[in-house]
Amino acid sequence: MTFKILVTDEVHESCVAFLKSKGYHVDVKLSLSRDELIKAVKEYDAIIVRGRTKLTRDIIMESQSLKVIGRAGVGLDNIDLKAALERNIKVVSSPQASTVAVAEATMALILSLARMIPEAVTSLKGGSWLKSKFTGFELRGKTLGIIGFGRIGKAVAKRALAFEMKVIAYDIRDVREEARSMGVHVVPTLEELLRESDVVTLHVPLNESTWHMIGERELSLMKKGTIIVNTSRGAIIDTKALLKALKEGKLAGAALDVFENEPPKTEEEWELIRLPNVIATPHIASQTWESQMAASLMIAEEVYKALREVSSTVH
Ligand code: NAD
């Protein structure tokens, strides 16, 4: 059976090449408007997206022939999973592909904050030779609190341990066994993690239970001078509460790769980004050649497998 596949976000060419080699018809249509997408999706058996395309309920409900949704990468918060389930559409992704990229980016952000690297670079490029202004702190002996001890959380732990940090973790799953074997201490509550950490890093998915998981109350529990890093999803932190905590000097700094709106659009978001003790990057944590290539190839294979399953049930 020849299936038709629509790709609406940029993927590595190996993804399209793989699917074409299996005899499938693949169209790449980037930057479709919402209305164009609703119209286009009706003609396809599968759609492949990354994080940019939002597959909302109305789009999914209108998509009569759609059987498979492929999300290249990790995080399914741009897909209405309930609607997909109701329409019996299989949703597949390639979450393992970006683990190392995000873990390395997280370490880069922690180190950049601890040593004020972006500020020092800007200062020197501006012609100033300032040394004492850029006196940072060492990671050795500091406590790193990891919220969400899944693929990325564990990869960050491994790297932080190499920097001789004390690593503690909090997760809703029982992760004690895997943590113990790595030398990571699991704390029973989020509150305990926040009270004990010098550096807090977030690695949970965005869902109803994690939306604004870090708000005013949680920030107030942290030690004065803590730094926070978010490479998961913007809405896990309440932007207004974070801005307040940074302006009041409760937190020493924040490094953010993700925002409640992407690109950021509210006044608070831009004020936050422009604070001198904030490092902000435009959602690039998984943006490595290796990760993009792996995510694209893996999703092509997953979509191929899912469509084969569909065709075997049709016959
Ligand atoms: P994962 O599923 O392997 O790990 C997530 C962990 O969070 C799991 O162990 C889960 O039990 C835990 N968790 C879920 N809800 C929780 C809660 N309320 N409290 C505490 N723990 C909770 O996922 P992963 O591959 O490690 O990715 C984590 C997140 O990172 C993704 O969901 C995605 O949002 C984000 N991400 C961002 C980028 C980027 O470019 N910035 C790239 C990839 C992934």
Side-chain angles (χ1 to χ4, degrees), residues 146-155 169-179 182 185-190 203-205 207 209-210 213:
I146 300 180
I147 304 175
F149 201 63
R151 279 176 296 260
I152 299 171
K154 273 184 273 183
Y170 167 72
D171 199 294
I172 43 165
R173 289 185 299 124
D174 183 357
V175 292
R176 281 174 296 182
E177 205 47 51
E178 23 185 345
M182 290 177 70
H185 174 65
V186 175
V187 291
T189 63
L190 177 61
H203 301 291
V204 290
N207 55 38
S209 81
T210 58
M213 179 182 198

Side-chain angles (χ1 to χ4, degrees), residues 118-170:
E119 262 191 287
V121 170
T122 309
S123 160
L124 182 56
K125 282 181 191 260
S128 309
W129 184 262
L130 302 171
K131 289 183 63 155
S132 56
K133 185 176 177 217
F134 300 116
T135 306
F137 66 86
E138 293 173 11
L139 298 189
R140 182 177 58 167
K142 302 292 184 308
T143 300
L144 174 69
I146 300 180
I147 304 175
F149 201 63
R151 279 176 296 260
I152 299 171
K154 273 184 273 183
V156 169
K158 203 167 157 188
R159 285 152 182 82
L161 288 164
F163 278 88
E164 300 180 57
M165 296 187 86
K166 177 185 171 197
V167 181
I168 62 175
Y170 167 72

Side-chain angles (χ1 to χ4, degrees), residues 93-112:
S93 63
S94 50
Q96 324 80 303
S98 52
T99 304
V100 170
V102 179
E104 288 186 2
T106 303
M107 290 311 293
L109 290 171
I110 295 173
L111 286 162
S112 298

Side-chain angles (χ1 to χ4, degrees), residues 55-57 60 69 76-85 91:
L55 292 176
T56 49
R57 165 167 285 273
I60 291 174
I69 295 174
L76 296 172
D77 41 291
N78 56 323
I79 299 163
D80 190 320
L81 295 175
K82 256 193 202 162
L85 190 69
V91 180

